[in-house]
């Protein structure tokens, strides 16, 4: 136990040293640094370590023959650039984004739609995916006065977990553990509050299968079930990074977009849960197609297969898969 505690402390010390370095970086310097790390991850390190084949398989599954092998390689490289920039931006966010400079950093074309939803008097589920910089959206909602119950996975290192908890709660949000946080989530919805969720991960063999990039993907049905039980509006949003123009803006710029607002009251049929899940998944897909290099293609989104397909697949082939 003591050895584990010291390891956690050492990890946290290294993390805080990196935070200090990143906070001192200029914007142009951070972009060069992210591109250098992306080069190492795509051209130097063994591909097994960087899950290259997972990303490649996912991109081929999503886009088929629409992308050449060279285009897939380029997109994987740009994905790594994005991920490293994402980490840098998260570290710099508390010092860079404030209420008085939001207009310089954020382009919010559907702001009226979003505000009407948040001020509807009904509970709201703010739903997004591992796309763009979702932490920018979390902080922006807090700065705008809309407190969320942010649902996230607990980190193994308690010191790192506390750092990220303070970061997310700095603008008025409350952190809800994904593990065993069902009671807290329902309490938020009962009080007509708002939850912030990422809803684009594989839900396992018992999940609800809906098309994601024209391929069945196991998806959590609990989001639609909660929305129906508490009449919660589902605001499907995204925050994608816009092309850099450092002559005009001193930091990264983002588009906070609303892909859809889903009212559970409009779904009354026997497959209402499936239809709602399908609709918000389609909304997330539309957003991702705007900048696919900013999506987290390293996650095995199509890992689970529909039960019927698994049964018809030869046993030897299932074992290899």
């Amino acid at each position: 136990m003591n050895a584990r505690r010291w390891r956690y402390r050492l990890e946290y010390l290294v993390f805080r040293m990196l935070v200090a370095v990143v906070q001192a970086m200029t914007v142009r310097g951070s972009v060069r640094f992210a591109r250098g790390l992306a080069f190492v991850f795509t051209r130097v390190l063994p591909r097994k370590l960087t899950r290259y084949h997972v990303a490649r398989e996912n991109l081929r599954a999503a886009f088929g023959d629409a992308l050449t092998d060279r285009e897939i390689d380029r997109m994987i490289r740009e994905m790594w650039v994005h991920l490293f920039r994402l980490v840098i931006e998260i570290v710099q966010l508390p010092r860079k984004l404030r209420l008085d400079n939001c207009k310089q950093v954020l382009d919010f074309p559907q702001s009226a739609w979003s505000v009407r939803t948040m001020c509807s008097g009904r509970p709201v589920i703010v739903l997004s995916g591992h796309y763009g910089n979702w932490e920018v959206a979390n902080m922006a909602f807090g700065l705008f006065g809309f407190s969320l119950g942010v649902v996230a996975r607990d980190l193994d290192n308690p010191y790192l977990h506390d750092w990220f908890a303070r970061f997310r709660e700095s603008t008025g949000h409350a952190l809800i553990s994904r593990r065993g946080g069902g009671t807290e989530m329902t309490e938020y919805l009962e009080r007509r509050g708002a939850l912030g969720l990422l809803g684009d991960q594989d839900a396992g063999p018992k999940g609800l299968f809906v098309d994601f990039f024209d391929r069945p993907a196991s998806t959590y049905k609990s989001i639609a079930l909660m929305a129906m039980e508490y009449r919660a509006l589902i605001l499907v949003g995204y925050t994608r990074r816009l092309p850099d123009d450092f002559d005009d803006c001193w930091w990264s710029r983002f588009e906070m977009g609303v892909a859809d607002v889903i009212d559970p009251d409009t779904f009354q049929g026997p497959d209402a849960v499936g239809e709602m899940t399908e609709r918000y998944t389609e909304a997330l897909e539309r957003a991702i197609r705007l900048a696919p290099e900013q999506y987290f293609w390293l996650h095995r989104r199509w890992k689970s297969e529909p039960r019927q397909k698994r049964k018809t697949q030869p046993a030897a082939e299932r074992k290899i898969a």
Side-chain angles (χ1 to χ4, degrees):
M1 182 64 70
N2 288 334
R4 181 182 298 177
R5 186 181 300 115
W6 280 107
R7 177 168 63 85
Y8 286 154
R9 288 176 176 174
L10 179 60
E11 290 173 352
Y12 182 66
L13 176 63
V14 173
F15 171 76
R16 289 309 302 262
M17 293 172 63
L18 291 174
V19 166
V21 172
V22 169
Q23 286 179 337
M25 284 183 177
T26 64
V27 182
R28 287 185 173 86
S30 67
V31 174
R32 288 194 294 268
F33 182 62
R35 291 201 171 276
L37 288 176
F39 176 83
V40 172
F41 268 63
T42 56
R43 294 291 184 265
V44 178
L45 292 178
R47 289 184 168 181
K48 186 175 182 179
L49 290 178
T50 61
R51 296 173 65 87
Y52 170 86
H53 296 293
V54 173
R56 183 179 179 84
E57 288 172 8
N58 283 341
L59 284 165
R60 185 60 72 196
F63 295 100
D65 296 331
L67 295 178
T68 65
D69 289 344
R70 179 172 294 184
E71 288 171 331
I72 287 178
D73 285 342
R74 182 194 61 79
M75 191 168 293
I76 292 174
R77 184 174 65 253
E78 291 303 313
M79 177 201 69
W80 278 110
V81 174
H82 161 69
L83 291 177
F84 287 122
R85 291 190 66 176
L86 168 68
V87 173
I88 292 169
E89 288 160 356
I90 289 173
V91 171
Q92 294 179 341
L93 256 178
R95 295 188 177 188
K96 295 292 188 180
L97 186 62
R98 303 182 305 276
L99 186 59
D100 60 2
N101 65 20
C102 279
K103 286 186 177 181
Q104 294 175 272
V105 176
L106 300 177
D107 183 6
F108 204 171
Q110 296 101 2
S111 58
W113 195 12
S114 181
V115 170
R116 283 198 304 270
T117 303
M118 298 300 291
C119 296
S120 64
R122 292 170 60 178
V124 179
I125 298 174
V126 181
L127 183 67
S128 190
H130 292 81
Y131 168 65
N133 193 327
W134 55 91
E135 295 291 356
V136 169
N138 281 340
M139 179 163 280
F141 270 99
L143 292 173
F144 297 156
F146 298 115
S147 298
L148 306 176
V150 179
V151 183
R153 184 181 71 84
D154 292 342
L155 298 180
D156 295 332
N157 187 317
Y159 303 105
L160 290 176
H161 177 83
D162 289 345
W163 187 91
F164 278 96
R166 290 193 299 272
F167 162 74
R168 286 171 173 148
E169 294 173 349
S170 62
T171 53
H173 301 316
L175 192 63
I176 299 175
S177 172
R178 183 182 291 274
R179 183 186 303 169
T183 301
E184 291 182 81
M185 286 190 278
T186 55
E187 287 176 352
Y188 258 83
L189 297 178
E190 286 173 351
R191 298 196 303 265
R192 297 185 180 181
L195 289 177
L197 295 170
L198 299 179
D200 64 331
Q201 291 187 306
D202 177 78
K206 295 183 179 180
L208 187 64
F209 285 86
V210 298
D211 279 355
F212 182 60
F213 285 88
D214 299 319
R215 183 177 176 183
S218 178
T219 309
Y220 289 101
K221 54 188 173 186
S222 55
I223 297 171
L225 288 170
M226 286 192 299
M228 292 184 66
E229 182 174 356
Y230 296 97
R231 295 189 64 239
L233 300 173
I234 302 177
L235 191 159
V236 186
Y238 63 91
T239 310
R240 67 182 178 107
R241 187 183 302 104
L242 297 173
D244 294 320
D245 184 3
F246 298 133
D247 294 329
D248 184 56
C249 185
W250 39 265
W251 201 48
S252 305
R253 295 192 69 252
F254 303 91
E255 178 188 72
M256 281 184 62
V258 178
D260 201 355
V261 174
I262 303 170
D263 186 346
D265 290 352
T266 62
F267 296 84
Q268 303 294 336
D271 193 30
V273 171
E275 291 174 358
M276 287 177 62
T277 304
E278 187 176 64
R279 180 164 160 180
Y280 79 67
T281 302
E282 289 176 350
L284 287 174
E285 179 184 327
R286 288 196 302 273
I288 292 166
R289 286 183 180 276
L290 296 174
E293 73 281 359
Q294 295 186 33
Y295 187 60
F296 191 73
W297 295 106
L298 298 174
H299 172 66
R300 300 188 72 93
R301 183 65 182 92
W302 294 280
K303 178 181 178 180
S304 300
E305 295 180 343
R307 187 173 301 173
Q308 184 178 2
K309 183 176 181 179
R310 291 201 307 273
K311 286 182 178 180
T312 58
Q313 191 179 22
E317 187 176 337
R318 290 201 304 270
K319 187 175 181 181
I320 293 174

